[in-house]
Amino acid sequence: MVQILTLRERLAAVPGTVRRRAGGAGERLVAASAARAIAPEIPRTAGPDHLERAASRLLRRAAQDEFAREGVTRLPLPEGTDREALRRADVPGDTAFHAFVEDLLGAIDIAPSPLERDDAVALREGRGARDAYGLSPEVAGDLASYLLCLAHGVRSSEQDQETLEEYLARQETALREEVRSTLVRLVRVPLELQDARERHARHGKEPATGSFRPRTAFETAQAEAGRAAFGALRSGAERAFERYGTGRTPPRP
């Protein structure tokens, strides 16, 4: 007699590792599509490592922008930009430099993100998100959090047992060190310091807006959305996988 298996029985017969890989592949496609909406350089088949590097680039660039925006005039930089002058000045050892670094780090908050894809795009493109130098550190931190939450979703689908809170805490420690190292490099490498000064000279005469930091409104959105909104982000990813993770190619963003 030929045994006819039900769909559930056939699925149960599939090795667990194969099911996990299929789920992980679908999660990757969904996460990559969502991430590319704010970072188009991310590959369409990106994995969590790509998303983590994109978050790192966002914050490093934000540190460079903030240095050109405020650091050039706020820090006791030497008149010359040759290596000898920078070595004698020892800007990284100055208390003003430490204060600048801590102020910048205080503006970056890595936390569970309540953003959906369209929210992240709206935040990045909002009038209060950037000025002539680039994104504000606050917005860069919010977008980095969004990318990291997507990355964690992919890792979770691949059986990574680390909780979101543990993952973000570990990423935040590494990212803060990257930001600090980026700023130290800016006051030690002549060409990078010269570029920052030239950017400040180009943009410094433009009206300085005290309202380009959108943190207050965003904090309100976080309070209203919180973890429930982040759960909706994961649920949306799962629904998308159910729809497109069965062999069909997901729509391009």
Side-chain angles (χ1 to χ4, degrees):
M1 177 182 294
V2 178
Q3 184 180 9
I4 300 177
L5 299 177
T6 66
L7 176 60
R8 178 172 296 182
E9 289 170 333
R10 290 199 300 270
L11 289 175
V14 176
T17 54
V18 175
R19 293 198 302 272
R20 288 194 296 271
R21 286 172 185 169
E27 187 83 14
R28 280 180 179 232
L29 290 174
V30 172
S33 177
R36 279 171 52 80
I38 61 168
E41 73 277 7
I42 294 175
R44 294 184 184 277
T45 57
D49 290 344
H50 292 93
L51 307 186
E52 290 162 0
R53 289 196 295 272
S56 176
R57 285 194 300 272
L58 269 174
L59 293 184
R60 289 199 307 270
R61 184 61 182 176
Q64 294 166 341
D65 293 341
E66 188 74 353
F67 183 86
R69 183 185 290 120
E70 296 184 6
V72 165
T73 56
R74 179 174 163 181
L75 300 179
L77 301 174
E79 292 186 5
T81 57
D82 59 276
R83 295 185 186 279
E84 182 181 359
L86 295 181
R87 185 172 62 253
R88 287 198 310 267
D90 187 26
V91 177
D94 194 280
T95 55
F97 179 80
H98 288 287
F100 176 76
V101 172
E102 292 306 314
D103 284 349
L104 176 54
L105 291 176
I108 296 172
D109 183 24
I110 302 299
S113 176
L115 299 176
E116 298 281 357
R117 172 175 167 162
D118 55 346
D119 299 323
V121 173
L123 177 63
R124 186 195 63 177
E125 301 299 330
R127 293 181 59 189
R130 66 176 66 240
D131 61 6
Y133 295 95
L135 288 173
S136 74
E138 290 87 346
V139 169
D142 296 335
L143 295 177
S145 294
Y146 170 72
L147 291 173
L148 291 173
C149 286
L150 290 174
H152 179 264
V154 176
R155 293 197 181 280
S156 295
S157 72
E158 298 174 348
Q159 302 304 300
D160 190 326
Q161 299 301 313
E162 192 174 30
T163 68
L164 178 62
E165 290 74 14
E166 292 169 341
Y167 170 79
L168 291 179
R170 179 169 58 82
Q171 290 291 329
E172 182 176 37
T173 297
L175 290 171
R176 285 177 174 274
E177 187 56 37
E178 283 196 45
V179 168
R180 193 182 304 274
S181 298
T182 296
L183 293 172
V184 169
R185 181 182 173 88
L186 279 168
V187 296
R188 283 183 173 169
V189 178
L191 291 179
E192 294 190 18
L193 177 57
Q194 180 179 334
D195 178 68
R197 281 176 157 163
E198 290 174 354
R199 290 182 64 197
H200 185 82
R202 288 197 303 270
H203 303 309
K205 294 182 180 181
E206 298 183 11
T209 64
S211 60
F212 83 95
R213 308 241 194 248
R215 190 64 188 175
T216 300
F218 185 65
E219 286 178 341
T220 301
Q222 282 185 314
E224 294 175 351
R227 295 182 184 274
F230 179 67
L233 174 65
R234 291 300 310 277
S235 297
E238 292 169 359
R239 289 194 300 271
F241 172 59
E242 291 175 358
R243 184 177 179 183
Y244 301 112
T246 56
R248 286 176 288 176
T249 302
R252 294 187 176 183

